[in-house]
Amino acid sequence: MSVLNGKKYNIITFGCQMNEHDSETIAGMLQEKGCFAVPSKEESDITVINTCSIRENADKRFFGTLGQLKKIKERNPDYIACVCGCMMQQQHIVDTVKSKYPWVDIIFGTHTIHKFPELLEKVCLEKQKVTELLEDSREIVEGLPAKRLYPHKAFVNIMYGCNNFCTYCIVPYTRGREKSRSPLEIILEVKQLVADGVKEVTLLGQNVNSYRGKHDDSGNICGSDPIQTWDFADLIYALNSIDGLERIRFMTSHPKDLSDKLIRAFVDCKKLCNYIHLPIQSGSSRILQAMNRKYTREQYLELVRKLREAVPRITISTDIIVGFPGETEEDFQQTLSLVREVKYDSAFTFLYSMRPGTPAAKYDDQIPEDVKHERFNRLVDAVNDASMEKNSAYVGRMEKVLVDGASKKDENTLTGRTEGFKLVDFSGDMSLTGQLIDVEITEGKTFSLRGRIKNNA
Ligand code: 5AD
Ligand code: SF4
C-alpha cells in the first residue's frame, strides 16, 4: 500500500481546458494511490496548484494563492505543497518559488505530470523537497487515469504543444513542440469513455487542425480505410462512427490550418457539433502579421463565409486581444468592424499582456494601459451587442441540450449546453443530469439562454 493512502488532496487549477484536464489526470493518479479529494486547501494534506502563464494576471493570482499555503504548512508540518503547470516551465518563476516560497515541497512541469505520485511518495518518505522538470519531451505518456469532473462528458487530449509561435504567446515555450497522439489510442480512449457513460467528448489541442496522428499498424481501425498518417478530419470521421457517442467538440482551431476537409466533416458527421472556436486575435491584417498569425483579415472572413455556407446553423466564438504593441486606433477600428461583420456568438476578449521571453515583449511600441482599457471597453460593447442579437434569435427554437446539472447560481435551476455550445437555464428535475433533452428557448440573454423543457409526451 502506498504511503499516500488515505491522504486528503485539493487541486487548484488556473487556466485553460488543457490545464483542467491535466488536473483531472493528477486527481486520477492520486485516487489510484488511495487519496481522496477535499473541497478546500485548508482541509488538505496535499495541495496542488496547477498554474497558467498566458497572462500576467494568472501569474499574480498564483503567487497570491501560494502565499496562503504558508499558514497551512505552519499548522501541519506533514502538509505537502506542490506546484506544477505552465509557469513552472519558466526558469525565472522556478527560481522565485524556490527563493521566496520555501514552504513548497514539490515542483513539477507540464512534461513530468506522470512522475507526480512517485515524487510525492519520495517527499513523504524522505522529507526532502523535489523538483522534476523537463524542457520538452518527445514521448507521450499513455494510459494515465483521470478523475473527470462530469460523468457524461469528457476532455480527450489529441495533441500536446504548439509550433506556431504567435509573437505574444508563451505557450510554445511552456508546452513544447507539437506531438500528436496515435489515432488508435484516441479511439480506444473514447470507446472506453463511452462504455463508462460519456456522451460528449471535447478533443483538446492548442491547434487541433495541425493534428497528424501516426498509425503504425496499417490495419483497419474503427471501420475506416487503412491510413498511415491521420489528419484531424480523418480522426473526426472515425470518432463519428463510435456507437453510443452522441457529441464531438474540439478546441482550439487555428484559422491558418482549417481545411475544406474539416468543413466537409461538419456536414457529414452528425455527431460533430455545429460549433467552432476560431480565434481571430485582431481584425487588422497589419497586426495579424506582427502577431505571426499567418492569415489576413480577408482570409479569415472567407473561412467564416465558407463555414456558414456549408453549415448555416454553425455557432462561432473567438478570442481577441486588444492593445498588441503598435496597435493604432485605425487597427482597432478594423477589429471592431470585423466583430460587427462576423457577429460572433461569443468572444473572449483580452488585454494584451507582455510575456517575458516572447518576441512581442521586446517590441518598443507598447500601448499605454489606459488606451488598452478604453479600447477593451468599446470592444466588449461590440461583442456583447452581437451575442445579444444572436441569442435573441433563438427564442422559439427547439434545441437539444445535454444537461450538466444544477446551475451554479440557483440550485433549483438546471443548466446545460446546446449543440452550438450555448448555455441554457431551465426548470427541471435533477435526475435529467447527463441526458440529452429537447428544450424550447424562451429568452435570449447576452451570455446565456433561458428555456423550458419540451413536453415529450
Ligand atoms: N496577452 C493577452 N492575451 C493572450 N492570449 C495569449 N497570449 C496572450 C497575451 N500575451 C490569448 C489569445 C489566445 C487565448 C487563449 O489567450 O487570445 O487565443
Ligand atoms: Fe499561443 Fe498561437 Fe500556439 Fe495558440 S497557436 S497556443 S496563441 S502560439
Side-chain angles (χ1 to χ4, degrees), residues 123-136:
V123 169
C124 276
L125 294 169
E126 297 170 16
K127 306 266 176 244
Q128 281 178 11
K129 294 179 191 304
V130 292
T131 301
E132 182 84 29
L133 293 165
L134 271 181
E135 210 174 293
D136 200 350

Side-chain angles (χ1 to χ4, degrees), residues 54-55 168-169 279 281 319-321 350-353 355:
I54 200 99
R55 283 169 292 273
Y168 50 81
C169 186
Q281 312 298 4
D319 291 341
I320 306 170
I321 298 175
F350 306 107
L351 292 163
Y352 167 72
S353 170
R355 303 286 61 213

Side-chain angles (χ1 to χ4, degrees), residues 54 161-173 175 178 205-207 252-254 256 279 281 291-293 319 321:
I54 200 99
C162 179
N163 289 353
N164 294 312
F165 291 93
C166 300
T167 54
Y168 50 81
C169 186
I170 195 77
V171 169
Y173 308 90
R175 292 266 169 186
E178 281 177 6
Q206 303 298 344
N207 175 15
T252 287
S253 241
H254 195 307
K256 80 177 167 61
Q281 312 298 4
M291 287 175 161
N292 192 31
R293 291 290 290 177
D319 291 341
I321 298 175

Side-chain angles (χ1 to χ4, degrees), residues 378-390:
R378 280 189 282 156
L379 177 64
V380 168
D381 286 345
V383 159
N384 288 351
D385 286 350
S387 302
M388 187 64 202
E389 189 182 325
K390 286 276 173 185

